[in-house]
Amino acid sequence: MTLIKNDSVLWLAHVAKEFFPTWQNRLNLTDKNIIKPLGHNFYSVQFNSTPTRGFLSDTIFSRYWLPVHYMWPTKCEEKGYIEKCAQGLLVKFKDKNFSNVVVFSLDRKQQKLASNLRGRILQVFSEKLKEKSPAKLLTEWTKKPILQPIYNQTLIVAISEKCTWAGLSTPSESGSFFAGGRRYVGVSNESIASRAAAKFVEAAESLQLSGLKTENAKKWLELGAAPGGITHELVEKKCEVWAVDKADLDEEIAENPLVHFYKMDAREFKVNMNFDALMCDLNGPANISAKICSEKTSLLKKDAIIIYTLKIHIADNFEKDYEQALKEFSLKNCQFLYGRHLYNNKQEITLFFKKK
Ligand SMILES: C[S@@+](CC[C@H](N)C(=O)[O-])C[C@H]1O[C@@H](n2cnc3c(N)ncnc32)[C@H](O)[C@@H]1O
């Protein structure tokens, strides 16, 4: 476990309401003075000492971590807020190193204010930023946040009606290319637009943030593929997909020459192949899907990435199901990388493994 570079003890986190108790247990901090709800699924956490990156990652249910270096009680609706805030940040961060600035509001209603504030902050730091990131690059990162280098030191500012928080972090450390961790995915095919497709896009980005790319994986095994949202995303990336499901795949997708559809129970699926990667989105009890999926990892090449969605039917059973799933994959020689409750995951988390 590596110590995170910054030395902050106060952090902001974004956690879905229904999994707050599970997250709190994983943090092992139950004192109300330590974790404070800020509204809109954001919380502040006051640690005793700087948490390690591994510790923050193990909490699974935070989609975003922002180390807070400075915070001010503010009234963002008040006249002069933008200028006061930008000048305050200039004083605090003028000697710090960063190549980008992002601002997000806890309450999405203030997104326009956040955007205007970012514009003014970029102006006050323009001299400093132009050395590292020319205006063209900043515009590109604004339009397409996934183009940001994952270790790009960034000044991150969060605003709410009552407070402004600011800290330095990177997309990799915070866990998302998108400030605040709210990732809206525009899926590439409207007729089969699905949350499944969105969670796959986000899962691939999450791997990228961890320094693991899926671009070289061209032959995918997909378990629980119907109706085909994820299959479609893979085909768009020019991947060949062996898609398995008891239910029907969307007709147009099934007819795509890159797709080999097997309408059957995943347990019965057998081919003599070596796949580059495995995506498993089987529904049903987690202990069954973990068993089916881990057994199919015998069809993978060494170092292949496995993306497995663990369905959470009863939140109270989460820890048991999670331990059981890790055990199944470990028995099949798969290294556990990490788990995350992605923004596009609802009653499930996404687990990442690597075939040894
Ligand atoms: C959440 S849906 C998958 C959504 C899909 N990934 C997409 O992108 O559109 C889960 C799927 O798992 C399939 N499934 C569950 N258990 C299965 C099994 N034992 N064998 C094959 N398919 C199964 C269901 O038929 C269902 O289509």
Side-chain angles (χ1 to χ4, degrees), residues 62-113:
S62 177
R63 277 107 176 221
Y64 197 72
W65 281 109
L66 168 63
V68 179
H69 295 113
Y70 291 99
M71 60 180 280
W72 301 265
T74 43
K75 287 195 178 122
C76 72
E77 305 292 352
E78 239 174 44
K79 209 170 156 253
Y81 166 74
I82 289 186
E83 192 55 30
K84 240 193 263 170
C85 187
Q87 295 303 335
L89 288 164
L90 182 63
V91 172
K92 298 292 185 192
F93 290 91
K94 64 176 182 301
D95 300 324
K96 305 282 187 220
N97 253 335
F98 56 90
S99 346
N100 193 12
V101 175
V102 296
V103 182
F104 68 95
S105 63
L106 272 46
D107 182 343
R108 271 172 274 184
K109 278 190 256 162
Q110 286 145 346
Q111 211 44 50
K112 183 142 181 23
L113 181 71

Side-chain angles (χ1 to χ4, degrees), residues 45-306:
V45 187
Q46 181 81 50
F47 292 101
N48 281 333
S49 57
T50 310
T52 62
R53 214 178 153 176
F55 178 79
L56 294 180
S57 174
D58 284 348
T59 64
I60 298 177
F61 290 94
S62 177
R63 277 107 176 221
Y64 197 72
W65 281 109
L66 168 63
V68 179
H69 295 113
Y70 291 99
M71 60 180 280
W72 301 265
T74 43
K75 287 195 178 122
C76 72
E77 305 292 352
E78 239 174 44
K79 209 170 156 253
Y81 166 74
I82 289 186
E83 192 55 30
K84 240 193 263 170
C85 187
Q87 295 303 335
L89 288 164
L90 182 63
V91 172
K92 298 292 185 192
F93 290 91
K94 64 176 182 301
D95 300 324
K96 305 282 187 220
N97 253 335
F98 56 90
S99 346
N100 193 12
V101 175
V102 296
V103 182
F104 68 95
S105 63
L106 272 46
D107 182 343
R108 271 172 274 184
K109 278 190 256 162
Q110 286 145 346
Q111 211 44 50
K112 183 142 181 23
L113 181 71
S115 163
N116 292 342
L117 174 60
R118 177 174 185 252
R120 184 62 191 133
I121 300 172
L122 287 174
Q123 280 173 350
V124 303
F125 283 105
S126 61
E127 273 309 300
K128 181 185 181 67
L129 284 168
K130 78 176 177 207
E131 294 161 23
K132 290 194 167 189
S133 23
K136 205 171 141 226
L137 204 54
L138 286 172
T139 310
E140 202 172 272
W141 292 339
T142 312
K143 281 193 191 148
K144 272 199 128 190
I146 56 162
L147 295 180
Q148 295 170 90
I150 64 169
Y151 300 120
N152 212 23
Q153 187 80 334
T154 304
L155 171 60
I156 305 172
V157 181
I159 64 173
S160 78
E161 266 176 4
K162 295 186 192 143
C163 198
T164 302
W165 300 263
L168 291 168
S169 188
T170 66
S172 172
E173 279 176 351
S174 61
S176 179
F177 285 109
F178 294 80
R182 291 185 288 225
R183 173 55 166 131
Y184 302 100
V185 180
V187 278
S188 45
N189 179 336
E190 283 307 321
S191 70
I192 184 138
S194 65
R195 193 168 51 76
K199 75 193 180 198
F200 174 74
V201 170
E202 200 186 350
E205 285 170 12
S206 174
L207 282 167
Q208 195 186 332
L209 287 167
S210 307
L212 298 151
K213 292 198 175 158
T214 50
E215 262 97 274
N216 294 333
K218 289 295 167 203
K219 286 188 195 305
W220 284 72
L221 170 59
E222 193 192 350
L223 307 175
I230 295 177
T231 320
H232 182 266
E233 290 303 313
L234 285 167
V235 166
E236 283 289 296
K237 290 171 168 233
K238 307 275 173 277
C239 296
E240 205 174 348
V241 190
W242 278 255
V244 186
D245 205 300
K246 291 190 281 197
D248 280 321
L249 209 57
D250 171 89
E251 237 172 72
E252 200 187 312
I253 293 172
E255 280 167 13
N256 190 302
L258 287 172
V259 176
H260 313 277
F261 178 46
Y262 292 76
K263 187 173 175 183
M264 56 165 61
D265 191 300
R267 281 168 275 219
E268 311 301 323
F269 176 75
K270 283 185 189 77
V271 283
N272 197 7
M273 287 267 317
N274 260 327
F275 295 102
D276 299 326
L278 193 167
M279 171 74 223
C280 174
D281 194 23
L282 292 171
N283 53 16
N287 59 343
I288 296 178
S289 64
K291 194 161 175 48
I292 300 176
C293 180
S294 61
E295 275 169 5
K296 297 302 164 202
T297 61
S298 61
L299 300 172
L300 298 179
K301 285 183 183 158
K302 183 178 178 300
D303 292 337
I305 292 289
I306 301 135

